[in-house]
Amino acid sequence: MDEIAILGVGMHPWGKWGRNFVEYGEKAASDALADAEVGWDEIQFVSGANSVRCGYPGYVSASTFANALGFTGCQLASSYAACASGATALSIARAQILSGVCDVALVVGAESTPKGFFAPNAGERHEDPDWLRFHLVGATNPTYFALYARRRMALYGDTSEDFAAVKVKNSRHGVFNPNARYTKEYDVDDIANSPMVADPLRLLEICATSDGGAALVVSSLEWAASRGVDNPVRVSGISTVSPTYPNSVIELPYLASDSWAAVGDETMTFKDNIAARAYEEASVSPEDLDFAEVYDLSSAYELDWYEHIGLCERGDAAKLLRAGDTALGGRIPVNPSGGLGAFGEAVPAQAIAQVCEMVWQLRGEAGHRQVEGAKVGLSINHGMFGHGSSVICTR
Amino acid sequence: MAAVEGLFTLDSDEPRLIGGRARSRGSYFFPKALAGSDPACLGDEIEEVLLSRTGQLWSYTTGEYAPPAPYVIPGDEFEPYVVAAVRLAEENLVVLGQVVEGVSVGDLSVGMEMELVIDVLYSDEEHDYLVWKWSPTPMSENGDD
């Protein structure tokens, strides 16, 4: 797959600011433009990652952000793919660039989130699985995270201490990130003393909902070279795949998994397929990675990702963690940014924020959280209902 | 009355989930209305079937805090509840549900046998609104999945 260049990145710090999401997006976009040394009037295409929690302006995010920066007549696309929205927006910008429709584009996502559990849309909708799971089962997002965590304990012998250790690790990374919401270093006792939310997961192990914004300026390699940027961070692969039937894991927001009765194979899972496509596009394998940014919706969830992205065999993730391999300074640091544990989740901005971290790491600009000599990074997450999201960046 | 019609039978002795089955392919779906994730079923007829009443516990957890609407808190005060995901014996699919009152996570282990029962989800002045729930079978023994 042909590559594109990332010329600039910008973020509005994550927090619970309670302000208009447009402010966060505008700040992130302005920072990305300044970082890229590209003028807003040079941007030919804006790819917006939508929010469904900020009213109509959130559904037409590209137009909303373009308006905030000033309408210049550039082309727009707004897209929603739940937590995968940012990667989807980047994939659309890449397609526009690689097809020659534009040379340089802005990708931006931002959200202002309510406190507490994410809730489904209003109304009574008996055929919407997101409505059914709340009404009939009381299954919140942490319910699903906890089911996966408990299953790890039963199948692989993972412990609550292992899960807490993930949060401890990520909180240590987050201390060094000026854009993180939580910059306190937690220890295992802090986690053990936080309230149980969904057994075996405690409050400090479950991703919060946050406000935040993130943006990228991307271009063709030729356009980058024309600006004197000969060695940019490159987007080498993007995965936006759907699940492949049958996915044997029960996923948000469904009441049931796929049935593997007709196929007879219960080993396939969505999250394996997401990474596989990104590796294939980038011609990269797990051994090539210097670090990864994974979606730690819960502490235990991060361990699932180690296996899904091929850092180890299924069931061995806790061994990597216990050996310190995935901490900064280890063999393959995971979530050097601090991850969702340090950020909380600002849905449409989160996948873009993962790419921002990759760019800082690959440029050697990550300060105290720098992964030494990083050349290849991978980010991964997924949007509920079945939107894959993974980006591989190289330099 | 059922909290949502068409998802389960109200047979008090042998309640069953109402699923879909692709007639020639043999894939199962729950709920039936969500049939379609198997690409080999494109154009296949989806027939209504009653799913197995028993299965193995795939995983389980608790809800310690009240979920937002459309969850309805039964009674005056929120009480934590247990949620199970059960792998149906024949259909090889995993179905969520609350666990009947009186069963705690300490009573559960992955792999144990569970059965479907009908129970009250919440009530108002006129009706009890019913739903399926999971219960350890009377003979169930702990086991590995």
Side-chain angles (χ1 to χ4, degrees):
Chain A
M1 176 62 72
D2 289 338
E3 298 175 310
I4 61 169
I6 304 179
L7 297 178
V9 297
M11 288 173 65
H12 184 289
W14 263 229
K16 210 70 178 175
W17 313 112
R19 298 202 304 273
N20 183 358
F21 79 107
V22 183
E23 273 184 47
Y24 314 145
E26 189 179 356
K27 198 275 185 191
S30 299
D31 286 3
L33 289 164
D35 184 43
E37 298 181 6
V38 169
W40 162 238
D41 57 356
E42 294 182 277
I43 295 292
Q44 299 159 2
F45 177 71
V46 176
S47 192
N50 291 351
S51 167
V52 295
R53 295 185 183 82
C54 299
Y56 215 112
Y59 303 147
V60 289
S61 61
S63 172
T64 296
F65 297 128
N67 189 349
L69 293 159
F71 276 149
T72 59
C74 67
Q75 303 218 58
L76 306 173
S78 302
S79 50
Y80 189 67
C83 304
S85 299
T88 300
L90 176 60
S91 77
I92 294 168
R94 180 180 71 164
Q96 296 286 86
I97 290 166
L98 293 181
S99 65
V101 170
C102 73
D103 301 307
V104 57
L106 175 70
V107 180
V108 56
E111 183 158 271
S112 192
T113 52
K115 194 173 188 296
F117 290 121
F118 281 149
N121 293 347
E124 187 162 333
R125 297 184 313 285
H126 291 185
E127 289 179 0
D128 174 355
D130 197 35
W131 188 91
L132 289 171
R133 56 129 173 174
F134 277 98
H135 187 65
L136 295 178
V137 184
T140 61
N141 293 9
T143 301
Y144 293 79
F145 311 155
L147 291 172
Y148 307 149
R150 172 62 63 184
R151 198 157 161 84
R152 290 198 67 84
M153 296 170 91
L155 264 56
Y156 310 135
D158 290 10
T159 65
S160 291
E161 290 72 27
D162 291 326
F163 301 155
V166 172
K167 172 72 177 192
V168 169
K169 169 184 77 70
N170 288 346
S171 77
R172 285 179 182 153
H173 296 173
V175 165
F176 302 118
N177 196 331
N179 288 309
R181 175 175 171 189
Y182 304 104
T183 52
K184 173 177 167 14
E185 186 176 328
Y186 289 104
D187 62 29
V188 172
D189 287 340
D190 293 328
I191 292 147
N193 291 329
S194 70
M196 190 71 84
V197 172
D199 190 298
L201 297 176
R202 294 178 179 277
L203 186 63
L204 286 176
E205 297 180 280
I206 293 169
C207 171
T209 61
S210 290
D211 295 3
L216 312 169
V217 174
V218 291
S219 77
S220 66
L221 296 179
E222 295 74 20
W223 199 88
S226 77
R227 304 293 287 241
V229 182
D230 294 322
N231 185 25
V233 173
R234 297 156 191 244
V235 176
S236 303
I238 305 176
S239 172
T240 57
V241 295
S242 83
T244 302
Y245 187 89
N247 179 11
S248 60
V249 172
I250 187 162
E251 304 273 5
L252 274 163
Y254 298 106
L255 288 171
S257 71
D258 286 337
S259 150
W260 58 95
V263 179
D265 181 359
E266 70 166 291
T267 64
M268 292 171 62
T269 75
F270 179 30
K271 296 184 198 89
D272 291 324
N273 300 338
I274 297 170
R277 174 58 187 254
Y279 284 130
E280 185 188 330
E281 277 199 2
S283 301
V284 157
S285 58
E287 302 76 51
D288 300 322
L289 296 184
D290 295 307
F291 66 96
E293 284 284 315
V294 309
Y295 229 51
D296 53 322
L297 289 163
S298 82
S299 54
Y301 216 104
E302 176 169 310
L303 300 176
D304 287 342
W305 286 122
Y306 295 0
E307 296 156 14
H308 294 306
I309 68 175
L311 300 185
C312 60
E313 295 295 315
R314 206 173 281 198
D316 286 347
K319 290 182 194 162
L320 259 65
L321 177 79
R322 293 172 197 148
D325 287 357
T326 56
L328 275 172
R331 183 171 65 77
I332 170 78
V334 175
N335 284 331
S337 71
L340 298 181
F343 274 77
E345 187 183 21
V347 171
Q350 209 68 44
I352 300 171
Q354 289 182 315
V355 176
C356 291
E357 178 67 12
M358 284 200 282
V359 170
W360 284 315
Q361 290 288 349
L362 295 172
R363 285 181 184 166
E365 296 175 357
H368 289 300
R369 57 180 204 284
Q370 181 65 46
V371 176
E372 289 308 318
K375 299 286 182 202
V376 182
L378 172 144
S379 68
I380 194 160
N381 77 54
H382 60 91
M384 74 170 186
F385 283 89
H387 275 284
S389 162
S390 180
V391 180
I392 291 177
C393 288
T394 59
R395 191 178 190 202
Chain B
M1 61 185 291
V4 172
E5 297 287 340
L7 298 183
F8 51 97
T9 66
L10 288 173
D11 181 332
S12 53
D13 293 330
E14 294 274 322
R16 306 275 285 269
L17 296 173
I18 302 169
R21 181 179 179 277
R23 191 183 289 274
S24 40
R25 166 79 160 171
S27 312
Y28 292 90
F29 307 94
F30 178 75
K32 177 174 180 278
L34 284 180
S37 57
D38 183 353
C41 294
L42 203 61
D44 206 345
E45 186 192 342
I46 308 295
E47 57 190 357
E48 188 169 296
V49 290
L50 301 180
L51 302 178
S52 303
R53 248 196 91 218
T54 59
Q56 282 186 317
L57 186 57
W58 187 84
S59 193
Y60 55 94
T61 182
T62 54
E64 305 282 350
Y65 289 88
Y71 186 73
V72 180
I73 294 169
D76 297 331
E77 261 181 54
F78 171 75
E79 291 285 338
Y81 50 88
V82 178
V83 172
V86 174
R87 171 186 168 170
L88 301 188
E90 189 174 333
E91 296 82 0
N92 280 335
L93 60 76
V94 178
V95 181
L96 280 186
Q98 285 196 0
V99 175
V100 292
E101 218 176 302
V103 175
S104 71
V105 291
D107 302 322
L108 299 174
S109 64
V110 168
M112 72 191 286
E113 186 160 293
M114 305 288 282
E115 67 178 10
L116 193 87
V117 298
I118 296 296
D119 199 359
V120 177
L121 182 63
Y122 60 95
S123 308
D124 60 20
E125 289 81 22
E126 291 172 31
H127 298 289
D128 286 337
Y129 296 90
L130 304 174
V131 74
W132 77 89
K133 290 188 184 178
W134 294 110
S135 175
T137 58
M139 300 298 291
S140 113
E141 288 176 22
N142 295 355
D144 296 316
D145 186 40

